[in-house]
Amino acid sequence: MNYDAFFADALSRLRDERRYRVFADLERIAGRFPHAIWHSPNGPRDVVIWCSNDYLGMGQHPKVIGAMVETATKMGTGAGGTRNIAGTNHPLIDLERELADLHGKQSALVFTSGYVSNQTGIPTIAKLIPNCLILSDAYNHNSMIEGIRQAGCDKQIFRHNDLAHLEELLKAAGSRPKLVAFESLYSMDGDIAPINAICDLAKRYGAMTYLDEVHAVGLYGPRGGGIAERDGAMARVDVIEGTLGKAFGGLGGYIAADGALCDAVRSYAPGFIFTTALPPAVCAAAAAAIRHLKTSTWERERHQDRAARLKAVLNAAGLPVAETSTHIVPVMVNEAEKCKAASDLLLTDHGIYIQPINYPTVPKGTERLRITPSPYHDDALIDVLAEAMVDVWQKLGLPLKQHSLAAE
Ligand code: PLP
């Protein structure tokens, strides 16, 4: 049996479909974010990163680095095993308190990633509810889809952010227990869910709500509690799920909810029980980022300011920016090969790194460059990016919009 051939065939299928992914070999430079070194095939080169989900640059914040170094120095590196075996390291307790407070919930439970939080949290919750029906937004992230699949219970998909469709399904489900699973901010299109209206429906039809705030925590709301905090809906959502790996600049994920729910997930979720806990230094760094962002609004304000500026400059340059009300700036290419080529040219000709977003992350024909400005992308960097993108668009024969007079 030629086992290697199975893998080689699988890879050639991806190459044929232009879906084979290549990761850039990057070295971030603390204190100089968004500048980084690209270890290119021709040697190291300075580049500017424009697609990081370290949205606020907290991964290089002195308080966060300080907390990580100090804790590792005091407590060592690893967690020493699962929480079942090794107990809970104290910085993890501190972090869970910080998270419960951030979301105004009784409790929080930390997992090793946002992915794992959804993948093990959703099925554990759903399996503990007899005869549960999960209603899932059509654009939910893969981690939620996998979690729902593992739940093994009935599921129905409602059209993305479509309240009428959700209501239709809720009504048809009658009095059985229901869990509505959705995201607050969809990271590829940058649009936002009507959280309060979904909570209204959930209340009317007796459903629980599970909200993924992965792309919003730290970034929205007066204390960085996310879109639900911004919209005054945190107390109405039953389970808030988030990540420590994006705006908080570290690694890990969590749910925040009532004490009994978190305790039940702690007691039943395989993806919680059977894996080594986050190391103390990682927990301390995340807690430092969360604490900082609860009171400092500079990062959030500057982040929104940069996103607005970037959208205006790219639009004025005639680039096809998809309209969003958030910090996500998708520039549409709508063709897989040209999307990859645009990303390659930006890197090789201009030292700008923006990962192409192709199928299956987005539907075929909607390929894009997904740009995520941070507080540290200044006006000069934005201008350089716009010029570089126009150059690349022209080289690839991609359409540019007519310049508007107002932008001239
Ligand atoms: N949920 C959503 C909506 C995501 O986009 C992601 C990852 O990008 C995750 C969950 C997983 O979070 P993490 O990166 O912490 O595993």
Side-chain angles (χ1 to χ4, degrees), residues 106-369:
Q106 286 173 352
S107 237
L109 190 67
V110 166
F111 301 84
T112 45
S113 72
Y115 194 98
V116 172
S117 315
N118 282 332
Q119 191 197 24
T120 201
I122 292 175
T124 303
I125 293 165
K127 280 178 182 167
L128 291 172
I129 304 171
N131 193 30
C132 183
L133 167 71
I134 300 182
L135 297 143
S136 171
D137 186 284
Y139 284 13
N140 275 345
H141 186 253
N142 175 274
S143 53
M144 301 175 85
I145 295 169
E146 285 300 324
I148 292 166
R149 190 172 296 160
Q150 275 176 36
C153 60
D154 292 344
K155 68 150 196 252
Q156 280 174 339
I157 314 286
F158 60 95
R159 285 189 294 274
H160 176 53
N161 278 349
D162 187 331
L163 291 168
H165 193 210
L166 174 60
E167 178 159 23
E168 198 183 297
L169 298 176
L170 282 166
K171 199 187 278 181
S175 61
R176 71 187 288 190
K178 299 168 277 295
L179 178 67
V180 181
F182 64 116
E183 297 179 30
S184 63
L185 195 163
Y186 290 83
S187 72
M188 292 300 144
D189 293 320
D191 60 336
I192 283 184
I195 301 178
N196 269 307
I198 290 178
C199 290
D200 288 342
L201 288 179
K203 191 166 177 218
R204 189 169 318 142
Y205 294 97
M208 265 185 74
T209 46
Y210 182 103
L211 176 64
D212 177 312
E213 287 258 34
V214 158
H215 292 277
V217 286
L219 305 174
Y220 295 88
R223 295 201 313 156
I227 302 285
E229 186 194 24
R230 186 197 73 178
D231 292 357
M234 273 201 310
R236 307 187 67 199
V237 176
D238 293 298
V239 186
I240 295 178
E241 182 270 341
T243 185
L244 308 171
K246 302 191 195 295
F248 297 132
L251 176 73
Y254 62 91
I255 57 167
D258 277 358
L261 187 145
C262 288
D263 202 18
V265 173
R266 182 186 71 84
S267 310
Y268 282 91
F272 175 84
I273 297 172
F274 297 107
T275 190
T276 296
L278 284 187
V282 172
C283 299
I290 295 163
R291 259 195 292 274
H292 176 79
L293 289 173
K294 277 179 182 172
T295 53
S296 171
T297 56
W298 178 84
E299 288 83 359
R300 277 188 287 282
E301 282 160 13
R302 171 90 179 155
H303 185 224
Q304 292 300 320
D305 171 76
R306 296 294 80 198
R309 166 102 196 163
L310 176 65
K311 288 175 195 172
V313 171
L314 296 185
N315 265 316
L319 288 151
V321 180
E323 211 172 293
T324 69
S325 61
T326 61
H327 62 281
I328 309 281
V329 185
V331 181
M332 304 309 290
V333 182
N334 301 328
E335 211 199 295
E337 261 175 85
K338 287 204 171 163
C339 193
K340 169 84 170 73
S343 165
D344 288 347
L345 283 176
L346 282 170
L347 188 58
T348 52
D349 293 5
H350 299 277
I352 285 171
Y353 177 60
I354 309 175
Q355 176 70 13
I357 307 286
N358 284 353
Y359 177 81
T361 309
V362 293
K364 284 183 183 159
T366 70
E367 292 81 4
R368 65 199 68 180
L369 297 180

Side-chain angles (χ1 to χ4, degrees), residues 82-105:
T82 67
R83 290 168 77 169
N84 254 4
I85 301 281
T88 299
N89 63 71
H90 186 68
L92 193 34
I93 301 283
D94 190 36
L95 172 60
E96 286 176 341
R97 280 196 196 121
E98 207 62 74
L99 288 164
D101 171 74
L102 176 67
H103 293 293
K105 299 289 180 198

Side-chain angles (χ1 to χ4, degrees), residues 317 319 342 345-346 348-350 384-398 400:
L319 288 151
L345 283 176
L346 282 170
T348 52
D349 293 5
H350 299 277
V384 169
L385 172 68
E387 275 171 36
M389 288 186 75
V390 168
D391 174 57
V392 165
W393 249 243
Q394 284 167 344
K395 277 188 184 139
L396 293 174
L398 287 164
L400 287 164

Side-chain angles (χ1 to χ4, degrees), residues 1-6:
M1 185 80 71
N2 181 0
Y3 288 102
D4 282 349
F6 296 127

